[in-house]
């Protein structure tokens, strides 16, 4: 059984930095990309960043230059380094595993290609 467990969510002041982690367990060998999505209550979940097995990355426009996605295969962990945080980054962040046969989309894993979701971790940016 595949599990994705996020951690690192917190309340942080505007301009601050936060790193989210997602540990994958179980067999995700059929999935070749990992990513992060976020969702604000009452709004649709949106893609934030994605990384494929070659290390290619993609980011939604609003986080380019501020967020960095990376992966440690030895630890089965994907990270999201978030810097210069803004109040509009406040959301629940979800880790996802999926397939990117046709390549990453402009905002990471195409939502229809996600096979597994984590339960989310809350990021609140104040000030």
């Amino acid at each position: 059984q595949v599990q994705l467990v996020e951690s690192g969510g917190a309340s942080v002041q505007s301009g601050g930095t936060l790193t989210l982690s997602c540990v994958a367990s179980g067999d995700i060998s059929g999935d070749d990309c990992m990513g992060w999505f976020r969702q604000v209550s009452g709004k649709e979940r949106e893609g934030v960043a994605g990384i494929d097995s070659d290390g290619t990355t993609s980011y939604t426009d609003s986080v380019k230059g501020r967020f960095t996605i990376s992966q440690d295969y030895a630890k089965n962990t994907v990270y999201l380094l978030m810097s210069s945080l803004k109040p509009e980054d406040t959301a629940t962040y979800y880790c996802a595993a999926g397939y990117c046969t046709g390549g990453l989309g402009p905002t990471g894993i195409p939502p229809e290609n996600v096979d597994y979701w984590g339960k989310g971790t809350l990021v609140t940016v104040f000030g």
Side-chain angles (χ1 to χ4, degrees), residues 33-50:
C33 54
M34 301 288 292
W36 291 92
F37 290 73
R38 66 186 178 187
Q39 188 171 23
V40 176
S41 180
K43 294 188 177 182
E44 287 190 5
R45 191 171 297 188
E46 64 169 352
V48 175

Side-chain angles (χ1 to χ4, degrees), residues 36-40 43-49 60 62-63 88-94 107 109 111 117:
W36 291 92
F37 290 73
R38 66 186 178 187
Q39 188 171 23
V40 176
K43 294 188 177 182
E44 287 190 5
R45 191 171 297 188
E46 64 169 352
V48 175
T60 192
S62 63
V63 309
E88 51 263 42
D89 295 318
T90 295
T92 298
Y93 284 71
Y94 297 89
T107 62
I109 305 175
W117 294 97

Side-chain angles (χ1 to χ4, degrees), residues 33-91:
C33 54
M34 301 288 292
W36 291 92
F37 290 73
R38 66 186 178 187
Q39 188 171 23
V40 176
S41 180
K43 294 188 177 182
E44 287 190 5
R45 191 171 297 188
E46 64 169 352
V48 175
I51 184 168
D52 70 12
S53 57
D54 293 329
T56 301
T57 60
S58 72
Y59 301 90
T60 192
D61 286 344
S62 63
V63 309
K64 285 180 180 177
R66 300 189 299 122
F67 290 13
T68 303
I69 188 170
S70 61
Q71 189 165 12
D72 186 333
Y73 286 98
K75 296 182 179 180
N76 289 331
T77 302
V78 63
Y79 304 96
L80 185 67
L81 171 62
M82 306 184 293
S83 59
S84 302
L85 282 162
K86 304 175 181 180
E88 51 263 42
D89 295 318
T90 295

